[in-house]
Amino acid sequence: MENVYDILLERGYIEQVTHEEEVKELLSKERVPFYIGFDPTADSLHLGHFIQIMVMMHMQKAGHKPIALVGGGTSKIGDPSGKTDMRKMLTPEQIIENGDKLRVQMEKYLNLDGENGYIANNADWLDELSYIPFIREIGSKFSVNRMLTAECFKQRLEKGLSFLEFNYMIMQAYDFLELNRRYKCKMQLGGNDQWSNIIAGVDLVRRMEQEQVYGLTFKLLLTSEGKKMGKTESGAIWIDPDKTSPYELFQYLRNVEDADVENCLRLLTFIPMDEVRRLGALEGAQINKAKEILAFEFTKIIHGEAEAQKALDAAQALFAGGGDSENIPSTTLKASDFSDGMPLLDLLMRLELIASKGEGKRLVAQNGITVKDEVVGDFAMNITLEMFEDNALMIRKGKKVFHKVIVE
């Protein structure tokens, strides 16, 4: 059987690894328990997180045992890695609620039945720690001088690093130790911004248990220009369909830049690499077919084939003159809402196409709002019932965001 390390390497996931040859040999010889941590700072995973889920799915498919660790304890501290400011503190109740929702999402994509994979929450051990015994036993194994050279701390030192956040590396390293003791966990995986924290965990397990364990990081989901993917003007692209609809997810990936298509196909689908390379090499109008396949395949992974097909139908109805227009995003309002007309900006706010009336005015000034295929020239426009045809009115924001208003 092909070594999963080679699969991850060929698909472009792997950034750094502590002991490459040893890791390859380990993954070829036994079912390896490994973990990735997810701090519940929100009530859903987003597109960027899903690189980690994809890696876990590849690893489990190859027979290894994922440990999905919810950071119910570490989220009370806040990870300074990649952050310019201290993370906003959540209440214990928010952390528990968010953690429960992340757990449900992860169980959708991974088998965490307690035999082939596990789900854990570091609040189970971190919340019970006694400060002085912990500092004596664990804190004594860390060099402050060495910690300050870590990239996750260096970029914060000039602006200010709280002692609270300084503890995060020790807490994450302790997670690895606990998971090693509880589940015989031998590997920690994470995004490349976690390298310093992972190295600390590998070193702590070696010191405390005299056991060799390993760390591996993978690339963040970036555009060809080095910018993080998964953000839009209206916010993050979420996995929760109530926060980002399957159609919005589909459209986001359908509209990636040509230069990003092959990388997204590598990281966000299970399409064989020969086909990925063929699709990524398409040019001109043909590359749009590759984008459609990317959007369909990833939406299928996240929301299932039926929702992916609905999103594809809606896109084809709008852009190719075919497909099922019933699947275009829509909002149903009362006809009485328009009896005296409704100001355009009020309607855009109700449809959540804009976050503020100021944004709406800017869009209109830039010819960015279209009603019934006509560019709006005046933000004070009034939407009346006479504008509706068959009780429906199509509004477009920019070139590719469509929304159908239905009255009843």
Side-chain angles (χ1 to χ4, degrees), residues 22 74 113 152 225 342:
E22 291 94 324
T74 41
D113 62 359
C152 63
E225 298 174 345
M342 182 184 295

Side-chain angles (χ1 to χ4, degrees), residues 283-309:
E283 296 179 351
Q286 287 186 310
I287 194 71
N288 290 329
K289 183 60 180 175
K291 293 180 184 181
E292 194 173 88
I293 291 171
L294 162 66
F296 182 85
E297 290 297 320
F298 187 66
T299 306
K300 182 171 74 172
I301 291 170
I302 301 300
H303 299 299
E305 188 163 3
E307 290 298 328
Q309 188 61 52

Side-chain angles (χ1 to χ4, degrees), residues 116-280:
N116 298 291
Y118 311 92
I119 186 119
N121 190 321
N122 61 21
D124 292 346
W125 51 85
L126 294 181
D127 282 0
E128 302 303 317
L129 290 175
S130 296
Y131 185 70
I132 291 177
F134 178 75
I135 291 298
R136 282 176 62 90
E137 182 187 11
I138 304 300
S140 61
K141 304 297 188 291
F142 287 79
S143 160
V144 171
N145 290 350
R146 185 176 176 187
M147 288 174 71
L148 290 175
T149 65
E151 200 60 42
C152 63
F153 293 140
K154 277 183 2 185
Q155 59 186 341
R156 286 289 301 281
L157 287 176
E158 290 184 18
K159 201 163 184 187
L161 176 71
S162 70
F163 182 69
L164 179 69
E165 292 174 293
F166 192 60
N167 280 270
Y168 191 90
M169 178 183 287
I170 301 175
M171 295 288 136
Q172 184 167 320
Y174 186 70
D175 285 344
F176 200 169
L177 179 62
E178 276 291 327
L179 293 172
N180 177 263
R181 289 170 172 173
R182 292 172 183 233
Y183 301 102
K184 296 182 170 35
C185 179
K186 293 188 177 182
M187 288 185 68
Q188 182 185 355
L189 283 59
N192 64 14
D193 57 348
Q194 293 298 310
W195 181 243
S196 299
N197 293 328
I198 290 173
I199 292 293
V202 169
D203 188 56
L204 180 63
V205 176
R206 179 182 60 80
R207 286 168 174 266
M208 297 294 294
E209 301 296 303
Q210 290 74 52
E211 182 178 347
Q212 183 62 64
V213 292
Y214 308 93
L216 183 151
T217 65
F218 31 82
K219 297 173 183 176
L220 303 178
L221 186 60
L222 303 175
T223 68
S224 55
E225 298 174 345
K227 297 178 182 177
K228 279 189 178 181
M229 292 186 67
K231 294 280 187 181
T232 67
E233 289 179 5
S234 56
I237 300 295
W238 300 99
I239 301 308
D240 183 342
D242 293 329
K243 295 167 77 74
T244 299
S245 71
Y247 175 80
E248 290 174 298
L249 176 67
F250 182 99
Q251 283 299 107
Y252 179 83
L253 291 167
R254 170 62 182 78
N255 294 324
V256 298
E257 296 295 329
D258 294 0
D260 299 323
V261 172
E262 183 172 335
N263 187 50
C264 288
L265 284 166
R266 287 171 177 266
L267 300 178
L268 297 175
T269 78
F270 292 102
I271 294 173
M273 280 304 299
D274 287 346
E275 181 66 3
V276 165
R277 283 186 278 265
R278 184 190 73 79
L279 291 170

Side-chain angles (χ1 to χ4, degrees), residues 1 3 20 31 69 76 91 150 153 160 172 187 195 209 217 230 234 278 284 314 331 355 364 377 382 405-406:
M1 185 175 69
N3 193 316
E20 184 173 39
R31 298 184 71 193
L69 181 68
K76 294 170 184 171
T91 66
F153 293 140
Q172 184 167 320
M187 288 185 68
W195 181 243
E209 301 296 303
T217 65
S234 56
R278 184 190 73 79
T331 298
V364 171
N382 214 31
V405 185
I406 301 168

